[in-house]
Amino acid sequence: MTQPLKPGGLTGRCYCGAVALSFPAPPEKVSYCHCADCRRITGAPVAAFAAFNSDQVTISPDPGPGVQTTAGVKRWFCSTCGSPLAATFDYLPGQTYVPVGILDFAADLMPQMHSHAASALPWLCIADELPRHDSSARAALKTAEHPET
């Protein structure tokens, strides 16, 4: 991802503004996700997430231990308004996924692929030429900094 870094870094916030996010560097990857879990978490027919190096994600105040309802997946939410803040996946170590919609610079983050395209709702049409992965796209989501598993 070669997004220009804004002065002071990149930022985001939950719906009510109680939780702020900051990132000193642009995301490593940006992807649409069509899986049922992401649709339920976001309440949208398709989700878009930015993958950041976990060491470069600051969430303030600390959102606590997170919620794990699916093995290997941990998610964090604002305790005041319920906005989804971030997620980590055991099979993508070193990366933290942040919903694009809560980022102040969302207009600058063009997705690079579709994950779980086989689960896309049949009436949703996103006409682009991006690569479409029928399942998790985990190989495409890995980065040079995080090539494990």
Side-chain angles (χ1 to χ4, degrees), residues 85-120:
L85 301 171
T88 59
F89 303 86
D90 286 355
Y91 59 86
L92 294 166
Q95 292 178 312
T96 297
Y97 286 77
V98 176
V100 169
I102 69 168
L103 300 174
D104 296 327
F105 51 94
D108 298 333
L109 298 177
M110 180 85 143
Q112 300 162 302
M113 69 188 82
H114 290 263
S115 299
H116 293 280
S119 298

Side-chain angles (χ1 to χ4, degrees), residues 45-70:
V46 65
F49 291 96
F52 291 91
N53 182 317
S54 293
D55 294 338
Q56 299 194 357
V57 176
T58 301
I59 302 175
S60 180
D62 184 331
V67 176
Q68 188 167 359
T69 53
T70 302

Side-chain angles (χ1 to χ4, degrees), residues 107-140:
D108 298 333
L109 298 177
M110 180 85 143
Q112 300 162 302
M113 69 188 82
H114 290 263
S115 299
H116 293 280
S119 298
L121 295 172
W123 49 261
L124 180 67
C125 179
I126 299 177
D128 61 33
E129 301 298 320
L130 297 176
R132 292 175 187 266
H133 303 272
D134 283 343
S135 61
S136 74
R138 70 178 64 183

Side-chain angles (χ1 to χ4, degrees), residues 8-94:
L10 307 172
T11 57
R13 68 175 181 84
C14 66
Y15 180 68
C16 72
V19 178
L21 296 92
S22 62
F23 318 87
E28 298 172 335
K29 303 277 182 165
V30 180
S31 179
Y32 288 114
C33 186
H34 297 272
C35 81
D37 283 353
C38 287
R39 287 197 307 263
R40 287 191 190 284
I41 291 295
T42 63
V46 65
F49 291 96
F52 291 91
N53 182 317
S54 293
D55 294 338
Q56 299 194 357
V57 176
T58 301
I59 302 175
S60 180
D62 184 331
V67 176
Q68 188 167 359
T69 53
T70 302
V73 179
K74 190 177 278 191
R75 299 181 189 276
W76 290 265
F77 301 89
C78 172
S79 63
T80 303
C81 67
S83 292
L85 301 171
T88 59
F89 303 86
D90 286 355
Y91 59 86
L92 294 166

